[in-house]
């Protein structure tokens, strides 16, 4: 069951304007915040298990965020959709987002398998930008999962995007994000080429670090 509430929103000179039903917006953002907390708790439990039982922790750090109203509206406009809560719920899959940062590329796939085995999570879609990088050089592993949120009178399945990256990928993506906003998505050619060059260096670094780690493990 997906909660469907309607509220017209628009960008204005003063920033962001809500329609009359601001309570609907609060209800929906509550759901996404709750979903992010649910998934974060599961990942933190996995993290604790690795630290205390397996003596190896593939997770370097975890971050979560809720997409801003302005970002949601811009995304809907890029999709050619009206700015309503119904469209937000249906078409914007990354309102609640969690980022897992690992040391090695092999850890990314191990973690994705563990997440997929969680009985009360449903994997909605996967995009593997590690095996199939974007033209910009962007690499990451994206999972859209749906988690049930138990309300007082109903259960609402709510989507969360999980991004899994290495430390090097995360550093590159952070720089690309800053450049994207600096130039509003249209960076000069030499800067775009420089980013692609750095992306290749990141791939080489990840491969070398994984190889070194495997070599070290042989001595254990």
């Amino acid at each position: 069951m997906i909660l469907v509430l309607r509220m017209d929103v628009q960008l204005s000179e003063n920033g962001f304007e809500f329609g009359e039903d601001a309570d609907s917006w609060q209800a929906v953002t509550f759901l996404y915040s709750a979903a992010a907390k649910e998934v974060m708790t599961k990942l933190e439990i996995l993290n604790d298990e690795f630290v205390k039982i397996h003596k190896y922790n593939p997770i370097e750090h975890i971050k979560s965020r809720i997409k801003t109203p302005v970002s949601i509206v811009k995304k809907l406009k890029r999709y050619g959709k009206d700015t309503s809560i119904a469209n937000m719920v249906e078409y914007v899959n990354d309102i609640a987002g969690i980022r897992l940062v690992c040391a090695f590329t092999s850890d990314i796939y191990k973690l994705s398998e563990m997440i997929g085995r969680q009985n009360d999570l449903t994997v909605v879609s996967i995009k593997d930008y590690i095996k199939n990088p974007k033209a910009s050089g962007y690499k990451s592993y994206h999972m859209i999962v749906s988690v049930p949120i138990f309300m007082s009178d109903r259960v609402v399945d709510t989507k969360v995007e999980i991004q899994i990256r290495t430390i090097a990928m995360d550093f590159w993506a952070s720089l690309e994000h800053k450049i994207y906003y600096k130039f509003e998505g249209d960076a000069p050619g030499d800067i775009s080429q420089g980013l692609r060059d750095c992306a290749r260096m990141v791939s080489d670094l990840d491969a070398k670090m994984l190889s070194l780690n495997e070599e070290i493990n042989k001595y254990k």
Side-chain angles (χ1 to χ4, degrees):
M1 173 183 174
I2 295 291
L3 180 69
V4 178
L5 297 166
R6 178 151 187 108
M7 180 192 68
D8 291 327
V9 291
Q10 61 182 0
L11 287 169
S12 71
E13 291 181 355
N14 297 324
F16 205 81
E17 292 183 353
F18 295 99
E20 293 181 0
D21 196 1
D23 287 344
S24 296
W25 171 261
Q26 300 232 351
V28 172
T29 53
F30 162 77
L31 280 174
Y32 284 105
S33 295
K37 287 178 184 176
E38 286 278 348
V39 177
M40 278 289 286
T41 299
K42 294 177 185 300
L43 296 175
E44 286 167 355
I45 290 170
L46 276 178
N47 191 34
D48 289 345
E49 178 190 345
F50 276 109
V51 171
K52 295 174 182 175
I53 298 176
H54 302 300
K55 309 303 180 185
Y56 168 70
N57 184 13
I59 302 172
E60 292 292 326
H61 59 264
I62 311 172
K63 296 180 182 177
S64 69
R65 63 104 183 98
I66 301 297
K67 211 171 188 66
T68 65
V70 171
S71 294
I72 292 169
V73 169
K74 285 182 176 178
K75 195 156 202 175
L76 284 172
K77 288 186 179 296
R78 284 204 307 272
Y79 292 163
K81 304 296 180 182
D82 292 334
T83 51
S84 69
I85 285 184
N87 284 341
M88 178 182 100
V89 170
E90 184 173 356
Y91 297 108
V92 185
N93 291 326
D94 61 344
I95 295 171
I98 293 175
R99 186 178 306 154
L100 277 175
V101 177
C102 310
F104 307 106
T105 50
S106 57
D107 293 332
I108 292 173
Y109 293 102
K110 288 176 187 174
L111 284 168
S112 68
E113 288 175 6
M114 292 175 198
I115 293 167
R117 288 198 295 266
Q118 297 279 324
N119 289 334
D120 52 352
L121 285 182
T122 301
V123 178
V124 177
S125 66
I126 290 173
K127 291 183 179 178
D128 190 343
Y129 294 116
I130 298 170
K131 293 179 180 176
N132 302 288
K134 292 186 179 181
S136 64
Y138 176 85
K139 284 184 146 188
S140 187
Y141 191 92
H142 291 195
M143 303 177 74
I144 304 295
V145 301
S146 178
V147 59
I149 302 301
F150 291 84
M151 310 287 284
S152 59
D153 57 349
R154 62 198 181 280
V155 178
V156 184
D157 291 320
T158 308
K159 291 177 285 189
V160 178
E161 182 188 60
I162 303 173
Q163 298 179 354
I164 317 176
R165 306 171 180 169
T166 64
I167 299 168
M169 290 175 197
D170 192 52
F171 174 67
W172 184 95
S174 177
L175 177 59
E176 187 210 27
H177 182 76
K178 290 175 184 176
I179 290 171
Y180 179 87
Y181 278 96
K182 175 75 173 177
F183 295 101
E184 297 182 349
D186 189 22
D190 59 332
I191 292 178
S192 295
Q193 183 58 52
L195 274 173
R196 287 192 291 271
D197 293 341
C198 288
R200 284 191 287 272
M201 294 178 197
V202 164
S203 295
D204 292 342
L205 176 62
D206 274 335
K208 182 64 176 176
M209 294 301 287
L210 177 60
S211 177
L212 281 171
N213 185 60
E214 289 171 348
E215 190 68 25
I216 290 165
N217 285 336
K218 290 179 183 177
Y219 289 94
K220 292 181 182 178

